[in-house]
Amino acid sequence: MADGTLTRDEPGALERAWQHPALRVAVLYVAARVVTTLFFFGASALSGPASRFGMHAAFGTLVMGWDAQWYWFTADNGYPSTVPVNPQGQVTENQWAFLPLYPYLAKLVGIPLGGWPVAAVFISLVAGYLSALVLFRMLRLKLDATASTWAVLFFVSGPLAALFQVGYAEALFMLWLLLALWLLMQRRYGWLYLLIPLMGFTRPGVLAFALLLGLFGIWRWFTRTREPLGVREIVHIVALAALATVVGFAWQVIAGIATRDPSAYLRTELAWRRNWIPDSASNFFPFDGFLVGAHFWSGVWGWGEYGGYVFLAAAVVAIAALLLFEPHVRRLGVELRLWSASYLLYLLAVFFPQSSIFRLLFPLSPLWGAVAAPKSTPWRVGVLIACIVGQWWWIYNMYALANTYWQIP
């Protein structure tokens, strides 16, 4: 206080380091991965004879379980030139349901790392960290550093955080998606011409991004008096929406050409539905999956003939109201709200609701920003506890038990 005024001490080295997003996110991410690893070892110890993984399944067996086996098989064997069918002539589960970027990237990375499983988990881990870092920087466009940090902590510790440590394509897709949304929020369109094909050949969902771009273009047109809309930006939005649409249908075309069956991809996807409904339709119809699912689950849960439809309608109305009116969601900006609406509409159009719905909601992770926005420490701590409990519940059911039709990730 040399001049009669109070002065704040300079921040120490640790404080300065914590203020750097890359290190802050890294500390949170590593701590969260330690928790997830402990949960997997717990699932290993609790895995019993009824589990598909057997008694006391090894850690490596669990992280390479379920669809990770399909990705691995695809990397080693490629895609069939003829779509496999059962004795009834129905298409059976096969590699065409799995997009090629993740399995072949893991095969390439596995050359120096010692094999596909190590490379697959390595890619998920690295992509998960980079996703968390991009999420932080993206949310900082709308929220303060504290809220953005809490949102990242929820993201890396949430119920689906195991996806950062298993041989699934979700973490890699999340990286491309968050980068694309971050760039869109900044009106930086150039890199999207690369990110859209990367998304489109990593995991299904790029058609939702095409819808987002269409809706975003309409919104930009009607708000052009508040934010000038030049010809160059219009061209970018239209071209990118067209590119996302073409990429979204490209894999169906590739599968059709390779197998000489134009419906190879869609019938392959429908093959998984027969695990729940053996006599389900062999052809795809938009929105049919959720309607059939509403009827199916009504019977399973004893909700009567129309209970499932009532629940579905109520859920659609509630989610629409949340995206339109909830103040913390609105604070995230129109881009993230339009993405959430587009992706949910995409799921409604193409998906049959079953236990994988939890995993398929993973691309809605930017909404963690709305959860973290309230400036209440008890609220944030409570959400974090719920995230960790939910993560254990998911791992326990999907990897320790793994023995019923609703314990499939």
Side-chain angles (χ1 to χ4, degrees):
M1 199 168 68
D3 58 356
T5 59
L6 290 172
T7 58
R8 184 181 183 276
D9 292 338
E10 287 295 320
L14 287 178
E15 185 177 352
R16 290 196 303 271
W18 178 250
Q19 290 172 354
H20 196 285
L23 181 62
R24 182 187 306 192
V25 170
V27 170
L28 298 178
Y29 188 72
V30 171
R33 301 287 61 76
V34 170
V35 172
T36 301
T37 300
L38 293 175
F39 284 166
F40 267 115
F41 277 115
S44 174
L46 294 172
S47 178
S51 168
R52 66 177 285 131
F53 298 109
M55 286 286 291
H56 307 307
F59 176 84
T61 301
L62 297 183
V63 298
M64 283 294 107
W66 297 109
D67 283 358
Q69 290 289 310
W70 276 109
Y71 283 114
W72 191 357
F73 184 79
T74 300
D76 285 346
N77 298 280
Y79 295 90
S81 58
T82 303
V83 180
V85 297
N86 61 20
Q88 291 74 42
Q90 298 170 316
V91 173
T92 59
E93 299 167 347
N94 65 84
Q95 302 96 291
W96 283 111
F98 301 91
L99 292 162
L101 182 57
Y102 178 73
Y104 286 124
L105 178 61
K107 185 174 184 178
L108 178 64
V109 175
I111 295 173
L113 291 186
W116 195 92
V118 175
V121 174
F122 175 78
I123 291 170
S124 292
L125 283 168
V126 173
Y129 165 69
L130 294 175
S131 297
L133 183 58
V134 174
L135 179 64
F136 178 85
R137 293 191 177 278
M138 182 175 70
L139 292 178
R140 282 293 286 122
L141 299 175
K142 301 294 182 180
L143 305 174
D144 60 37
T146 300
S148 300
T149 300
W150 277 100
V152 166
L153 185 55
F154 299 156
F155 174 59
V156 300
S157 307
L160 297 168
L163 293 173
F164 297 127
Q165 292 178 229
V166 296
Y168 272 64
E170 265 71 10
L172 188 60
F173 180 85
M174 181 63 69
L175 175 59
W176 309 141
L177 171 64
L178 293 178
L179 281 169
L181 291 172
W182 185 36
L183 293 168
L184 184 66
M185 292 171 71
Q186 299 174 82
R187 312 292 186 260
R188 295 164 57 188
Y189 299 104
W191 282 103
L192 293 179
Y193 290 96
L194 172 63
L195 288 169
I196 285 172
L198 290 175
M199 279 193 284
F201 290 97
T202 298
R203 180 190 172 279
V206 75
L207 285 175
F209 201 82
L211 177 59
L212 159 67
L213 289 168
L215 296 175
F216 175 75
I218 294 171
W219 175 81
R220 287 288 291 116
W221 176 259
F222 283 105
T223 60
R224 65 190 185 279
T225 56
R226 297 202 308 259
E227 181 184 350
L229 177 64
V231 174
R232 183 176 180 180
E233 185 175 359
I234 293 173
V235 170
H236 274 310
I237 294 172
V238 172
L240 288 167
L243 174 64
T245 302
V246 170
V247 171
F249 288 104
W251 191 242
Q252 296 181 39
V253 175
I254 293 170
I257 293 173
T259 62
R260 298 186 182 88
D261 179 354
S263 62
Y265 173 73
L266 291 177
R267 291 203 294 156
T268 294
E269 289 285 6
L270 291 173
W272 266 264
R273 188 183 300 182
R274 285 196 294 274
N275 293 324
W276 289 269
I277 305 178
D279 58 347
S280 62
S282 58
N283 296 310
F284 171 78
F285 299 99
F287 302 101
D288 176 66
F290 259 89
L291 294 175
V292 171
H295 179 75
F296 171 77
W297 291 108
S298 287
V300 172
W301 293 331
W303 285 0
E305 185 175 356
Y306 300 105
Y309 299 112
V310 172
F311 176 82
L312 177 61
V316 170
V317 171
I319 292 170
L322 184 73
L323 295 176
L324 285 171
F325 304 116
E326 206 286 323
H328 299 102
V329 176
R330 290 175 61 88
R331 187 175 170 185
L332 297 180
V334 70
E335 297 87 357
L336 299 187
R337 292 161 61 209
L338 287 177
W339 161 251
S340 301
S342 299
Y343 185 71
L344 287 169
L345 184 60
Y346 166 80
L347 285 186
L348 198 63
V350 305
F351 185 59
F352 171 79
Q354 30 86 358
S355 59
S356 294
I357 190 69
F358 300 110
R359 174 173 57 86
L360 293 181
L361 292 176
F362 192 51
L364 297 177
S365 292
L367 292 178
W368 281 122
V371 180
K375 295 183 178 181
S376 167
T377 299
W379 164 259
R380 289 165 169 169
V381 172
V383 171
L384 178 59
I385 293 172
C387 284
I388 294 172
V389 171
Q391 183 184 165
W392 166 246
W393 180 89
W394 195 80
I395 291 173
Y396 174 70
N397 278 279
M398 304 302 171
Y399 290 95
L401 299 182
N403 58 10
T404 75
Y405 61 86
W406 62 269
Q407 290 166 331
I408 300 174

